[in-house]
């Protein structure tokens, strides 16, 4: 083994790492030592998932759909094409389907098999999304699960569950909140939370923003 990973830069104390973090670090060291990957490539991938992709990308897509009926139409027709063809701040690799919420219909996304998730537009999935209880219960008792997330839907709003696969990912287009006619696209994007694009919460209102 080379000593190429006796770093001179500061590292976090290994004793404070979780088991998973230790395993990831060990795996990274082995891959680097064997020359299978380069550390800067790993750093670039991490940087990509931490900063470039994330819910802010999805939020901008939703805000664009709210202000531009034309874009919304093409987004609902073929989200991958609409995003890759019309937006400079986002790029989708997988087949993405956008589903729109209304007073009549509320959409929720899950992956019942594992943890498929629209990484390109939402970044890393939250821990609960990958948990067994969410994956099974959101299908069998969606209304109670949504209530536990703090989302009380009217009884006559239908709930539709979309099960992601390796080939197909879903992005929920939440309803635009009332009294936001004067807001800019960027201000609107700030109202769009990650969970509202999974379907487990509402978007923020301007009142929420004042309070946070
Ligand atoms: Fe999956």
């Amino acid at each position: 083994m080379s000593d190429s990973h006796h770093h001179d830069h500061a590292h976090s104390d290994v004793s404070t790492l979780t088991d998973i973090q230790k395993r990831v670090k060990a795996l990274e060291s082995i891959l680097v030592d064997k020359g299978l990957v380069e550390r800067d490539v790993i750093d670039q991938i991490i940087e990509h998932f931490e900063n470039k992709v994330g819910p802010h990308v999805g939020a901008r897509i939703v805000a664009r759909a709210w202000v531009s009926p034309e874009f919304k139409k093409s987004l609902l027709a073929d989200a991958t094409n609409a995003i890759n063809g019309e937006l400079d701040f986002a790029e989708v690799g997988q087949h993405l389907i956008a589903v729109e919420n209304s007073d009549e219909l509320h959409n929720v996304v899950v992956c019942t098999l594992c943890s498929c998730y629209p990484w390109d537009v939402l970044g890393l999935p939250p821990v609960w999304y990958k948990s067994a209880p969410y994956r099974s219960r959101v299908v069998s008792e969606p209304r109670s699960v949504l209530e536990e997330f703090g989302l009380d839907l009217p009884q006559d709003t239908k709930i539709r569950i979309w099960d992601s696969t390796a080939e197909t990912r879903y992005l929920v287009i939440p309803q635009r909140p009332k009294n936001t006619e004067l807001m800019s696209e960027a201000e609107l994007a700030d109202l769009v939370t990650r969970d509202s694009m999974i379907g487990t919460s509402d978007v923020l209102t301007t009142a929420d923003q004042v309070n946070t």
Side-chain angles (χ1 to χ4, degrees):
M1 229 196 200
S2 79
D3 62 355
S4 63
H5 60 287
H6 278 226
H7 317 299
D8 47 13
H9 55 274
H11 264 223
S12 47
D13 182 357
V14 171
S15 63
T16 64
L17 298 177
T18 64
D19 284 348
I20 290 277
Q21 286 171 322
K22 285 179 198 163
R23 280 162 61 187
V24 169
K25 280 200 168 293
L27 182 61
E28 179 183 335
S29 297
I30 292 167
L31 293 171
V32 170
D33 280 349
K34 292 196 178 294
L36 293 174
V37 295
E38 284 172 47
R39 208 175 282 278
D40 353 339
V41 174
I42 297 181
D43 288 345
Q44 279 169 25
I45 294 170
I46 292 169
E47 141 82 15
H48 179 74
F49 280 106
E50 282 185 340
N51 302 315
K52 301 231 173 80
V53 300
H56 60 283
V57 175
R60 290 181 67 183
I61 294 169
V62 169
R64 177 68 58 88
W66 284 347
V67 299
S68 164
E70 293 237 307
F71 177 70
K72 184 161 92 177
K73 203 175 154 196
S74 53
L75 188 69
L76 292 171
D78 184 335
T80 306
N81 261 339
I83 291 166
N84 291 349
E86 297 175 47
L87 303 180
D88 53 8
F89 56 84
E91 200 184 322
V92 180
Q94 261 114 7
H95 184 46
L96 185 71
I97 294 178
V99 290
E100 187 184 17
N101 286 347
S102 67
D103 288 340
E104 292 76 38
L105 177 69
H106 183 87
N107 298 284
V108 183
V109 180
V110 66
C111 176
T112 55
L113 273 182
C114 43
S115 56
C116 300
Y117 186 73
W119 298 57
D120 298 320
V121 291
L122 296 189
L124 299 170
V127 171
W128 55 259
Y129 183 86
K130 300 181 275 185
S131 74
Y134 175 75
R135 285 159 40 209
S136 59
R137 289 187 54 229
V138 80
V139 177
S140 58
E141 39 172 341
R143 208 166 283 272
S144 336
V145 171
L146 294 182
E147 272 168 24
E148 288 162 31
F149 274 99
L151 186 58
D152 268 310
L153 294 174
Q155 280 303 320
D156 53 358
T157 300
K158 270 189 62 180
I159 302 173
R160 186 172 295 163
I161 308 294
W162 298 90
D163 194 359
S164 314
T165 67
E167 288 81 35
T168 303
R169 311 296 164 96
Y170 298 93
L171 176 72
V172 174
I173 311 294
Q175 282 186 279
R176 179 172 176 164
K178 303 213 168 13
N179 307 315
T180 54
E181 295 77 11
L182 298 177
M183 290 175 76
S184 70
E185 192 175 324
E187 289 169 328
L188 288 168
D190 286 340
L191 300 177
V192 185
T193 60
R194 177 195 67 198
D195 291 1
S196 71
M197 294 180 280
I198 304 176
T200 51
S201 112
D202 261 329
V203 297
L204 301 174
T205 63
T206 43
D208 295 324
Q209 275 195 317
V210 172
N211 294 332
T212 48

